[in-house]
Amino acid sequence: MSEMDESRHWADVIAENVAATREKHIIATGITPSGSIHIGNLREVLTADGAYRALCDAGVDAELIYIGDTFDPLRKVYPFLPDDYAEHVGKPLYAIPCPCGNCANYAEHYLMPFLESLKELDIAPTVYRAHELYGNGDFVPATMKALRNRDKIAAILEEVSKRAIPADWSPFNVLCESCGRITTTQVTGFDERRETVDYTCDCGYAGTVPVKGNGKLTWRVDWAARWGILGVTIEPFGKDHATRGGSYDTGTRISREIYGYEPPYPIIYEWIHLKGKGAMSSSTGVTVTISDMLRVMPPEVLRYLIIKTKPEKHIDFDPSRIVELIDEYDRATGRARELSQTETSLRSDIPFTHIVTALQIASDPDGFQEVLRRSGYAAFDMESVQRRMENALNWLALYAPESVKFEVQETLPPVVESLTPEQRRGLLLLASGISDDLTASDLHDLVYEVSEEVGISGSKLFQAIYIAILGKKSGPRAGYFMASLDREFLLKRLREAGRE
Ligand SMILES: [Zn+2]
Ligand SMILES: [Zn+2]
């Protein structure tokens, strides 16, 4: 790869690779709404959206679509479901009651919050639900073709995936009229003219139903068929589908040989690892939901977290380090703006780290603004600060490591007894050196001057300051921290702690 490629964003490189291949590009993404849709899943959507925006920026006609796989069956009773969901295993997600009782069905229960999060992230795909596409009859011609070409498809699957295909295998799974399951039926015949299939079910039922709306193609055939039906030209998918003999390989051959459609340009993406817990997955419960994340960081930062890394590299995500991530985003704003040109939210000029510190110093919202002013932020956009304030409060409550949390002690903490004579002298000297006009960085420099004067290291004096004010050995950046405190309180405390 040339240096120039390295310096360009991956999405622009993809856009350039595919731009000339078609008049219009349709970028597809889809997730089975069988459980909470987490930020691991979000990578797929943001990757698709990244490619979509890059194509739009390059002046190419493009559309982003999202397919909710609502016709997929419930595979098992997941740990987060009540036991009585056992009776629904094997039924399509759209036909199962919702776990909370307030949504249209099981699929919507997980789909709705996800689609809401997409709005916040300023992603607006055309949304399809698989059971509606099948119900409308959109898949009927592809299904009849698959039934006619059953042997040819079975041969492709065996050849590419090296798996034996059972003699009774059918590319179509019928939805049983009696028990409502889609995983327990066998196709026994079909009528080309009437567009119906005959089937038997493990529940003992046997019947004949129209293909339209009464079943779906099996996953590997469904994926290939939908490319042609929806005109998909670009699709990101997880590395599990990209293995040799995997569903993209079989899909490619089925698409070309059965449906005469050139498969989409693949964008293979890696997983997001949750710090200390491994790859995120709905079925194992190792997840952070997208709405959880939007409580602790602005949407543009969540987008930045995922889009800044090339899809083929995994992302380590550590919720306890969100402060650093947000500050990094702010520093990289020029580039971030380039990545999300339609972003509507405001960027704050106050580092998130400072907001986290100020919130812990202040006792109420008025006090919070006062703290910001004292530390040198005379004018700021209250709306953007307000949003970050909410993020910071949630983060402190949910993910902040103990090392970041502190409380200003209202009275002199007993632990000041541990201070050495030099540290005490340092605190007294510091107090006498602080005048009203000193800024955060002046205060920072002053700590070093004083520590030299009393013959201890800077870090020893910083420790003494934290002990005097917080009752512990560490705290936020000292210059900014001291500047944020009420000056009278600060001087009084330094003198108290410095006295024998
Ligand atoms: Zn619900
Ligand atoms: Zn049945």
Side-chain angles (χ1 to χ4, degrees), residues 176 178-179 184 201 203 205:
C176 175
S178 174
C179 70
T184 47
C201 180
C203 73
Y205 193 83

PDB file of all heavy atoms in Angstrom, residues 176 178-179 184 201 203 205, ligand 2:
ATOM      1  N   CYS A 176     -44.840 -23.354   9.562  1.00  0.00           N
ATOM      2  CA  CYS A 176     -45.930 -24.312   9.788  1.00  0.00           C
ATOM      3  C   CYS A 176     -47.206 -23.597  10.209  1.00  0.00           C
ATOM      4  O   CYS A 176     -47.203 -22.806  11.148  1.00  0.00           O
ATOM      5  CB  CYS A 176     -45.517 -25.347  10.839  1.00  0.00           C
ATOM      6  SG  CYS A 176     -46.857 -26.482  11.270  1.00  0.00           S
ATOM      7  N   SER A 178     -49.679 -24.887  11.625  1.00  0.00           N
ATOM      8  CA  SER A 178     -50.226 -25.427  12.866  1.00  0.00           C
ATOM      9  C   SER A 178     -49.430 -24.979  14.096  1.00  0.00           C
ATOM     10  O   SER A 178     -49.994 -24.436  15.033  1.00  0.00           O
ATOM     11  CB  SER A 178     -50.266 -26.950  12.788  1.00  0.00           C
ATOM     12  OG  SER A 178     -50.659 -27.489  14.031  1.00  0.00           O
ATOM     13  N   CYS A 179     -48.093 -25.175  14.085  1.00  0.00           N
ATOM     14  CA  CYS A 179     -47.318 -24.878  15.294  1.00  0.00           C
ATOM     15  C   CYS A 179     -46.581 -23.538  15.213  1.00  0.00           C
ATOM     16  O   CYS A 179     -46.012 -23.083  16.200  1.00  0.00           O
ATOM     17  CB  CYS A 179     -46.338 -26.005  15.605  1.00  0.00           C
ATOM     18  SG  CYS A 179     -44.967 -26.128  14.446  1.00  0.00           S
ATOM     19  N   THR A 184     -38.876 -26.539  11.790  1.00  0.00           N
ATOM     20  CA  THR A 184     -39.241 -27.946  11.974  1.00  0.00           C
ATOM     21  C   THR A 184     -39.966 -28.532  10.762  1.00  0.00           C
ATOM     22  O   THR A 184     -40.529 -29.616  10.842  1.00  0.00           O
ATOM     23  CB  THR A 184     -40.163 -28.084  13.209  1.00  0.00           C
ATOM     24  OG1 THR A 184     -41.183 -27.080  13.121  1.00  0.00           O
ATOM     25  CG2 THR A 184     -39.393 -27.886  14.503  1.00  0.00           C
ATOM     26  N   CYS A 201     -44.455 -31.255   8.892  1.00  0.00           N
ATOM     27  CA  CYS A 201     -43.803 -30.626  10.042  1.00  0.00           C
ATOM     28  C   CYS A 201     -43.608 -31.667  11.143  1.00  0.00           C
ATOM     29  O   CYS A 201     -44.396 -32.613  11.261  1.00  0.00           O
ATOM     30  CB  CYS A 201     -44.652 -29.468  10.554  1.00  0.00           C
ATOM     31  SG  CYS A 201     -43.925 -28.616  11.993  1.00  0.00           S
ATOM     32  N   CYS A 203     -44.332 -31.405  14.021  1.00  0.00           N
ATOM     33  CA  CYS A 203     -45.486 -31.391  14.930  1.00  0.00           C
ATOM     34  C   CYS A 203     -46.584 -32.341  14.452  1.00  0.00           C
ATOM     35  O   CYS A 203     -47.587 -32.525  15.139  1.00  0.00           O
ATOM     36  CB  CYS A 203     -46.040 -29.983  15.090  1.00  0.00           C
ATOM     37  SG  CYS A 203     -46.932 -29.363  13.644  1.00  0.00           S
ATOM     38  N   TYR A 205     -48.162 -32.002  11.433  1.00  0.00           N
ATOM     39  CA  TYR A 205     -49.005 -31.348  10.433  1.00  0.00           C
ATOM     40  C   TYR A 205     -48.411 -31.522   9.029  1.00  0.00           C
ATOM     41  O   TYR A 205     -47.199 -31.639   8.865  1.00  0.00           O
ATOM     42  CB  TYR A 205     -49.126 -29.866  10.776  1.00  0.00           C
ATOM     43  CG  TYR A 205     -50.201 -29.146  10.004  1.00  0.00           C
ATOM     44  CD1 TYR A 205     -51.538 -29.194  10.417  1.00  0.00           C
ATOM     45  CD2 TYR A 205     -49.887 -28.424   8.854  1.00  0.00           C
ATOM     46  CE1 TYR A 205     -52.522 -28.531   9.717  1.00  0.00           C
ATOM     47  CE2 TYR A 205     -50.865 -27.759   8.133  1.00  0.00           C
ATOM     48  CZ  TYR A 205     -52.186 -27.811   8.566  1.00  0.00           C
ATOM     49  OH  TYR A 205     -53.156 -27.150   7.865  1.00  0.00           O
TER      50      TYR A 205
HETATM   51 ZN    ZN B   2     -45.709 -27.617  12.896  1.00  0.00          ZN
END
